[in-house]
């Protein structure tokens, strides 16, 4: 079993709570992505995800609903990964009834 350091546990909790947003639509996209994909991202993509979840809900909503794309290529990549995950069979277990 892989033991996590106290810093890793604290980071995971912070990421989880920052992925929980004021908008249900964002929760349905960000939390499953964090739980199922974050650990498999490379270090650079993990850093971009951490920056992304500090954005305003309105910006996240526009990007994740494909109404706009972030200007930054790294953020654009993470947004696309989140959208692709939401549309994949891997996320079906997290969809509401």
């Amino acid at each position: 079993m892989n033991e996590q350091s106290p810093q890793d546990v604290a980071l995971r909790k912070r990421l989880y709570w920052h992925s929980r947003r004021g908008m249900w639509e964002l929760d349905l996209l960000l939390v499953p992505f964090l739980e199922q994909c974050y650990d498999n991202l490379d270090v650079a993509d993990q850093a971009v995800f951490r920056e992304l979840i500090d954005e305003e809900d309105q910006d996240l909503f526009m990007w994740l609903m494909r109404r706009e794309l972030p200007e930054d290529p790294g953020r654009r990549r993470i947004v696309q990964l989140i959208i692709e995950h939401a549309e994949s069979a891997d996320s079906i277990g997290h969809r509401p009834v």
Side-chain angles (χ1 to χ4, degrees):
M1 182 176 258
N2 193 4
E3 288 292 320
Q4 290 185 326
S5 71
Q7 294 85 7
D8 291 339
V9 171
L11 174 62
R12 177 58 78 155
K13 286 180 181 179
R14 184 185 79 76
L15 291 174
Y16 178 79
W17 287 111
H18 282 233
S19 295
R20 300 275 322 259
R21 311 303 290 208
M23 299 176 78
W24 177 247
E25 297 87 350
L26 296 178
D27 289 0
L28 292 176
L29 296 170
L30 295 173
V31 172
F33 183 82
L34 172 66
E35 292 174 345
Q36 297 173 5
C37 300
Y38 179 82
D39 292 333
N40 296 323
L41 296 174
D42 63 35
V43 173
D45 285 341
Q46 286 180 349
V48 173
F49 180 81
R50 290 191 304 270
E51 293 171 5
L52 182 76
I53 62 174
D54 286 334
E55 292 287 343
E56 296 292 326
D57 283 356
Q58 298 87 344
D59 292 330
L60 288 171
F61 183 81
M62 295 297 283
W63 297 335
L64 293 171
M65 296 297 120
R66 299 181 182 160
R67 294 186 181 156
E68 293 179 6
L69 288 174
E71 291 181 21
D72 177 73
R75 286 190 181 170
R76 193 174 316 130
R77 173 179 156 67
I78 288 295
V79 165
Q80 188 61 39
L81 289 173
I82 293 168
I83 291 168
E84 288 172 4
H85 178 261
E87 294 175 345
S88 74
D90 293 340
S91 68
I92 289 175
H94 285 58
R95 291 187 183 156
V97 177

mmCIF file of all heavy atoms in Angstrom, residues 6-27:
data_model
loop_
_atom_site.group_PDB
_atom_site.id
_atom_site.type_symbol
_atom_site.label_atom_id
_atom_site.label_comp_id
_atom_site.label_asym_id
_atom_site.label_seq_id
_atom_site.Cartn_x
_atom_site.Cartn_y
_atom_site.Cartn_z
ATOM 1 N N PRO A 6 1.505 13.515 5.292
ATOM 2 C CA PRO A 6 0.488 14.471 5.770
ATOM 3 C C PRO A 6 0.266 15.626 4.783
ATOM 4 O O PRO A 6 -0.851 16.101 4.627
ATOM 5 C CB PRO A 6 1.059 14.969 7.093
ATOM 6 C CG PRO A 6 1.967 13.872 7.557
ATOM 7 C CD PRO A 6 2.538 13.270 6.301
ATOM 8 N N GLN A 7 1.332 16.033 4.084
ATOM 9 C CA GLN A 7 1.200 17.106 3.093
ATOM 10 C C GLN A 7 0.341 16.648 1.913
ATOM 11 O O GLN A 7 -0.477 17.416 1.407
ATOM 12 C CB GLN A 7 2.580 17.566 2.587
ATOM 13 C CG GLN A 7 3.422 18.238 3.637
ATOM 14 C CD GLN A 7 4.206 17.241 4.506
ATOM 15 O OE1 GLN A 7 4.236 16.037 4.249
ATOM 16 N NE2 GLN A 7 4.838 17.758 5.542
ATOM 17 N N ASP A 8 0.533 15.396 1.481
ATOM 18 C CA ASP A 8 -0.272 14.861 0.381
ATOM 19 C C ASP A 8 -1.738 14.753 0.762
ATOM 20 O O ASP A 8 -2.624 15.062 -0.030
ATOM 21 C CB ASP A 8 0.242 13.481 -0.060
ATOM 22 C CG ASP A 8 1.596 13.544 -0.743
ATOM 23 O OD1 ASP A 8 1.981 14.630 -1.233
ATOM 24 O OD2 ASP A 8 2.274 12.497 -0.773
ATOM 25 N N VAL A 9 -1.990 14.321 1.992
ATOM 26 C CA VAL A 9 -3.370 14.203 2.476
ATOM 27 C C VAL A 9 -4.019 15.584 2.543
ATOM 28 O O VAL A 9 -5.158 15.770 2.099
ATOM 29 C CB VAL A 9 -3.411 13.497 3.850
ATOM 30 C CG1 VAL A 9 -4.798 13.558 4.453
ATOM 31 C CG2 VAL A 9 -2.934 12.051 3.717
ATOM 32 N N ALA A 10 -3.288 16.553 3.049
ATOM 33 C CA ALA A 10 -3.814 17.921 3.148
ATOM 34 C C ALA A 10 -4.081 18.503 1.758
ATOM 35 O O ALA A 10 -5.114 19.150 1.541
ATOM 36 C CB ALA A 10 -2.846 18.809 3.925
ATOM 37 N N LEU A 11 -3.164 18.254 0.808
ATOM 38 C CA LEU A 11 -3.356 18.750 -0.557
ATOM 39 C C LEU A 11 -4.597 18.126 -1.167
ATOM 40 O O LEU A 11 -5.416 18.813 -1.789
ATOM 41 C CB LEU A 11 -2.132 18.445 -1.422
ATOM 42 C CG LEU A 11 -2.286 18.792 -2.904
ATOM 43 C CD1 LEU A 11 -2.526 20.287 -3.110
ATOM 44 C CD2 LEU A 11 -1.073 18.309 -3.683
ATOM 45 N N ARG A 12 -4.770 16.819 -1.006
ATOM 46 C CA ARG A 12 -5.934 16.134 -1.576
ATOM 47 C C ARG A 12 -7.226 16.709 -1.005
ATOM 48 O O ARG A 12 -8.183 16.945 -1.739
ATOM 49 C CB ARG A 12 -5.842 14.637 -1.302
ATOM 50 C CG ARG A 12 -7.037 13.847 -1.787
ATOM 51 C CD ARG A 12 -7.266 14.021 -3.247
ATOM 52 N NE ARG A 12 -6.321 13.209 -3.967
ATOM 53 C CZ ARG A 12 -6.509 12.762 -5.180
ATOM 54 N NH1 ARG A 12 -7.631 13.019 -5.814
ATOM 55 N NH2 ARG A 12 -5.603 12.068 -5.793
ATOM 56 N N LYS A 13 -7.263 16.955 0.292
ATOM 57 C CA LYS A 13 -8.466 17.534 0.916
ATOM 58 C C LYS A 13 -8.731 18.935 0.357
ATOM 59 O O LYS A 13 -9.872 19.287 0.062
ATOM 60 C CB LYS A 13 -8.311 17.592 2.429
ATOM 61 C CG LYS A 13 -8.431 16.246 3.094
ATOM 62 C CD LYS A 13 -8.274 16.359 4.593
ATOM 63 C CE LYS A 13 -8.375 14.992 5.248
ATOM 64 N NZ LYS A 13 -8.193 15.064 6.702
ATOM 65 N N ARG A 14 -7.674 19.722 0.209
ATOM 66 C CA ARG A 14 -7.840 21.071 -0.334
ATOM 67 C C ARG A 14 -8.362 21.003 -1.763
ATOM 68 O O ARG A 14 -9.280 21.732 -2.138
ATOM 69 C CB ARG A 14 -6.516 21.836 -0.294
ATOM 70 C CG ARG A 14 -6.652 23.286 -0.755
ATOM 71 C CD ARG A 14 -5.336 24.006 -0.827
ATOM 72 N NE ARG A 14 -4.577 23.696 -2.022
ATOM 73 C CZ ARG A 14 -4.851 24.180 -3.233
ATOM 74 N NH1 ARG A 14 -5.873 24.988 -3.425
ATOM 75 N NH2 ARG A 14 -4.110 23.868 -4.268
ATOM 76 N N LEU A 15 -7.792 20.113 -2.562
ATOM 77 C CA LEU A 15 -8.246 19.977 -3.946
ATOM 78 C C LEU A 15 -9.700 19.537 -4.010
ATOM 79 O O LEU A 15 -10.469 20.037 -4.840
ATOM 80 C CB LEU A 15 -7.364 18.976 -4.696
ATOM 81 C CG LEU A 15 -5.938 19.408 -4.967
ATOM 82 C CD1 LEU A 15 -5.153 18.258 -5.585
ATOM 83 C CD2 LEU A 15 -5.898 20.630 -5.853
ATOM 84 N N TYR A 16 -10.062 18.618 -3.143
ATOM 85 C CA TYR A 16 -11.450 18.143 -3.131
ATOM 86 C C TYR A 16 -12.395 19.289 -2.804
ATOM 87 O O TYR A 16 -13.389 19.502 -3.508
ATOM 88 C CB TYR A 16 -11.624 17.006 -2.130
ATOM 89 C CG TYR A 16 -13.046 16.522 -2.060
ATOM 90 C CD1 TYR A 16 -13.547 15.663 -3.024
ATOM 91 C CD2 TYR A 16 -13.906 16.960 -1.056
ATOM 92 C CE1 TYR A 16 -14.863 15.232 -2.990
ATOM 93 C CE2 TYR A 16 -15.216 16.534 -1.006
ATOM 94 C CZ TYR A 16 -15.690 15.676 -1.968
ATOM 95 O OH TYR A 16 -17.000 15.265 -1.934
ATOM 96 N N TRP A 17 -12.103 20.047 -1.758
ATOM 97 C CA TRP A 17 -13.014 21.126 -1.366
ATOM 98 C C TRP A 17 -13.015 22.277 -2.355
ATOM 99 O O TRP A 17 -14.033 22.924 -2.547
ATOM 100 C CB TRP A 17 -12.720 21.597 0.056
ATOM 101 C CG TRP A 17 -13.185 20.551 1.014
ATOM 102 C CD1 TRP A 17 -12.410 19.753 1.791
ATOM 103 C CD2 TRP A 17 -14.534 20.133 1.254
ATOM 104 N NE1 TRP A 17 -13.193 18.866 2.503
ATOM 105 C CE2 TRP A 17 -14.501 19.077 2.192
ATOM 106 C CE3 TRP A 17 -15.774 20.533 0.754
ATOM 107 C CZ2 TRP A 17 -15.648 18.446 2.641
ATOM 108 C CZ3 TRP A 17 -16.913 19.899 1.207
ATOM 109 C CH2 TRP A 17 -16.836 18.876 2.142
ATOM 110 N N HIS A 18 -11.893 22.496 -3.027
ATOM 111 C CA HIS A 18 -11.879 23.535 -4.059
ATOM 112 C C HIS A 18 -12.562 23.060 -5.336
ATOM 113 O O HIS A 18 -12.979 23.880 -6.157
ATOM 114 C CB HIS A 18 -10.448 23.981 -4.349
ATOM 115 C CG HIS A 18 -9.908 24.915 -3.323
ATOM 116 N ND1 HIS A 18 -9.371 26.125 -3.633
ATOM 117 C CD2 HIS A 18 -9.834 24.818 -1.971
ATOM 118 C CE1 HIS A 18 -8.990 26.743 -2.535
ATOM 119 N NE2 HIS A 18 -9.256 25.957 -1.514
ATOM 120 N N SER A 19 -12.664 21.743 -5.512
ATOM 121 C CA SER A 19 -13.387 21.207 -6.674
ATOM 122 C C SER A 19 -14.891 21.230 -6.453
ATOM 123 O O SER A 19 -15.661 21.166 -7.401
ATOM 124 C CB SER A 19 -12.937 19.764 -6.958
ATOM 125 O OG SER A 19 -11.586 19.741 -7.347
ATOM 126 N N ARG A 20 -15.315 21.313 -5.203
ATOM 127 C CA ARG A 20 -16.737 21.468 -4.881
ATOM 128 C C ARG A 20 -17.067 22.936 -5.052
ATOM 129 O O ARG A 20 -16.500 23.789 -4.381
ATOM 130 C CB ARG A 20 -17.024 21.044 -3.429
ATOM 131 C CG ARG A 20 -16.698 19.622 -3.104
ATOM 132 C CD ARG A 20 -17.798 18.642 -3.455
ATOM 133 N NE ARG A 20 -19.126 19.110 -3.228
ATOM 134 C CZ ARG A 20 -19.890 18.791 -2.192
ATOM 135 N NH1 ARG A 20 -19.442 18.005 -1.257
ATOM 136 N NH2 ARG A 20 -21.110 19.259 -2.089
ATOM 137 N N ARG A 21 -17.948 23.241 -5.952
ATOM 138 C CA ARG A 21 -18.209 24.629 -6.316
ATOM 139 C C ARG A 21 -19.606 25.049 -5.895
ATOM 140 O O ARG A 21 -20.383 24.271 -5.362
ATOM 141 C CB ARG A 21 -18.056 24.814 -7.828
ATOM 142 C CG ARG A 21 -16.791 24.248 -8.418
ATOM 143 C CD ARG A 21 -15.567 24.817 -7.785
ATOM 144 N NE ARG A 21 -15.426 26.214 -8.171
ATOM 145 C CZ ARG A 21 -14.282 26.841 -8.255
ATOM 146 N NH1 ARG A 21 -13.167 26.227 -7.985
ATOM 147 N NH2 ARG A 21 -14.238 28.108 -8.602
ATOM 148 N N GLY A 22 -19.938 26.287 -6.211
ATOM 149 C CA GLY A 22 -21.265 26.793 -5.949
ATOM 150 C C GLY A 22 -22.263 26.382 -7.007
ATOM 151 O O GLY A 22 -23.456 26.637 -6.877
ATOM 152 N N MET A 23 -21.783 25.743 -8.047
ATOM 153 C CA MET A 23 -22.642 25.315 -9.156
ATOM 154 C C MET A 23 -22.587 23.794 -9.268
ATOM 155 O O MET A 23 -21.511 23.212 -9.407
ATOM 156 C CB MET A 23 -22.177 25.940 -10.472
ATOM 157 C CG MET A 23 -22.229 27.451 -10.466
ATOM 158 S SD MET A 23 -21.560 28.150 -11.994
ATOM 159 C CE MET A 23 -22.951 27.868 -13.069
ATOM 160 N N TRP A 24 -23.738 23.160 -9.234
ATOM 161 C CA TRP A 24 -23.846 21.707 -9.305
ATOM 162 C C TRP A 24 -23.180 21.159 -10.569
ATOM 163 O O TRP A 24 -22.523 20.122 -10.539
ATOM 164 C CB TRP A 24 -25.326 21.334 -9.240
ATOM 165 C CG TRP A 24 -25.624 19.884 -9.361
ATOM 166 C CD1 TRP A 24 -26.265 19.263 -10.387
ATOM 167 C CD2 TRP A 24 -25.306 18.842 -8.432
ATOM 168 N NE1 TRP A 24 -26.377 17.916 -10.144
ATOM 169 C CE2 TRP A 24 -25.789 17.640 -8.950
ATOM 170 C CE3 TRP A 24 -24.650 18.830 -7.199
ATOM 171 C CZ2 TRP A 24 -25.634 16.427 -8.292
ATOM 172 C CZ3 TRP A 24 -24.500 17.618 -6.548
ATOM 173 C CH2 TRP A 24 -24.990 16.439 -7.090
ATOM 174 N N GLU A 25 -23.336 21.856 -11.690
ATOM 175 C CA GLU A 25 -22.758 21.401 -12.950
ATOM 176 C C GLU A 25 -21.242 21.273 -12.843
ATOM 177 O O GLU A 25 -20.655 20.337 -13.392
ATOM 178 C CB GLU A 25 -23.103 22.376 -14.090
ATOM 179 C CG GLU A 25 -24.567 22.491 -14.402
ATOM 180 C CD GLU A 25 -25.300 23.533 -13.556
ATOM 181 O OE1 GLU A 25 -24.730 24.054 -12.575
ATOM 182 O OE2 GLU A 25 -26.458 23.825 -13.896
ATOM 183 N N LEU A 26 -20.618 22.208 -12.143
ATOM 184 C CA LEU A 26 -19.165 22.154 -11.983
ATOM 185 C C LEU A 26 -18.760 21.013 -11.059
ATOM 186 O O LEU A 26 -17.763 20.334 -11.315
ATOM 187 C CB LEU A 26 -18.641 23.492 -11.460
ATOM 188 C CG LEU A 26 -18.833 24.685 -12.385
ATOM 189 C CD1 LEU A 26 -18.317 25.955 -11.739
ATOM 190 C CD2 LEU A 26 -18.195 24.455 -13.737
ATOM 191 N N ASP A 27 -19.530 20.796 -9.994
ATOM 192 C CA ASP A 27 -19.248 19.669 -9.094
ATOM 193 C C ASP A 27 -19.246 18.350 -9.860
ATOM 194 O O ASP A 27 -18.400 17.484 -9.632
ATOM 195 C CB ASP A 27 -20.297 19.559 -7.985
ATOM 196 C CG ASP A 27 -20.214 20.669 -6.955
ATOM 197 O OD1 ASP A 27 -19.337 21.542 -7.091
ATOM 198 O OD2 ASP A 27 -21.032 20.653 -6.027
#
